[in-house]
Amino acid sequence: MIPFELYSITPDVDDYGHIFRIPNYYTPSELDFLQSRIPTIPISPEVYPSCRVNLPRPNHTPSKFIGEKTQWFLDNWDEVCELTHIEGVDKRFYHDNPPTYTDESLRGSPPNSKLYPMHTDKGSKKLLTILVPMSDMGNPTMFHGASRSRVWCHEWAVNDAYMFRPSDRSVHSYQNNMDVNRWIMNVNVCGTVGWMEKSN
């Protein structure tokens, strides 16, 4: 049983795969810590696709930051697999190796940035992707589906996460069309996948 709120929001599993919403992804103390690490200066327009802010644990402990929910996904991978299962798909639809670590970082895109093109996250070590808006305003990630013929977005709201497992259906892109920095937490549960392609 998943011990926090999680909702299916995919418009069409056959095209987009599973997409889930997780409200209040970070606890209040985690959110305070993360937002305190967001730089206040404008991001240079030369930065592409985004700048990365690596995060230590709060209180200056030596290990890297891992959110409570991220740790739960890492520790309960069988439940993640059950949640994201799709009947009738090929065994290579998802990477099936168990996760071994997480990668959780702040990512900032400069105002009026170039489009980061469609990609799936599947050709890397990413087994689960979670995107968590951190700034008050921002353009949401655009999901295109396997058909790549339409665009669907989950409304932008701070700490209102959306999650998917990389597959041939998790085609997405993003662009910051606003006059302010766009900040998200980019969360990945990762492992050494059974077959490797160039990261996409």
Side-chain angles (χ1 to χ4, degrees), residues 2 6 17 20 35 47 52 69 76 87 133 157 166 179 183 192 194:
I2 300 172
L6 183 148
F20 297 94
Q35 292 189 317
V47 171
R52 175 181 175 127
K69 292 183 177 68
N76 296 273
E87 287 289 342
D179 294 327
W183 286 100
T192 302

Side-chain angles (χ1 to χ4, degrees), residues 76-96:
N76 296 273
W77 190 244
D78 286 346
E79 293 194 50
V80 175
C81 292
E82 183 177 343
L83 178 71
T84 57
H85 177 70
I86 299 175
E87 287 289 342
V89 299
D90 184 87
K91 64 180 181 179
R92 285 166 56 98
F93 184 77
Y94 293 131
H95 295 313
D96 58 2

Side-chain angles (χ1 to χ4, degrees), residues 2 12 24 28 34 39 46 67 76 82 87 93 111 117 124 135 137 147 165 171 184-185:
I2 300 172
D12 182 354
N24 302 309
L34 295 171
E46 302 301 316
N76 296 273
E82 183 177 343
E87 287 289 342
F93 184 77
S124 64
S135 50
M137 296 191 302
S147 65
R165 281 186 74 185
V171 182
I184 66 162
M185 282 295 294

Side-chain angles (χ1 to χ4, degrees), residues 128-160:
L128 187 70
T129 297
I130 304 160
L131 304 170
V132 193
M134 286 284 114
S135 50
D136 290 333
M137 296 191 302
N139 295 112
T141 297
M142 297 173 284
F143 291 90
H144 305 274
S147 65
R148 304 185 182 220
S149 62
R150 49 183 175 163
V151 176
W152 178 86
C153 301
H154 173 54
E155 184 178 356
W156 181 278
V158 172
N159 206 25
D160 196 12

Side-chain angles (χ1 to χ4, degrees), residues 179-191:
D179 294 327
V180 295
N181 295 338
R182 174 190 189 265
W183 286 100
I184 66 162
M185 282 295 294
N186 191 85
V187 182
N188 294 114
V189 178
C190 304

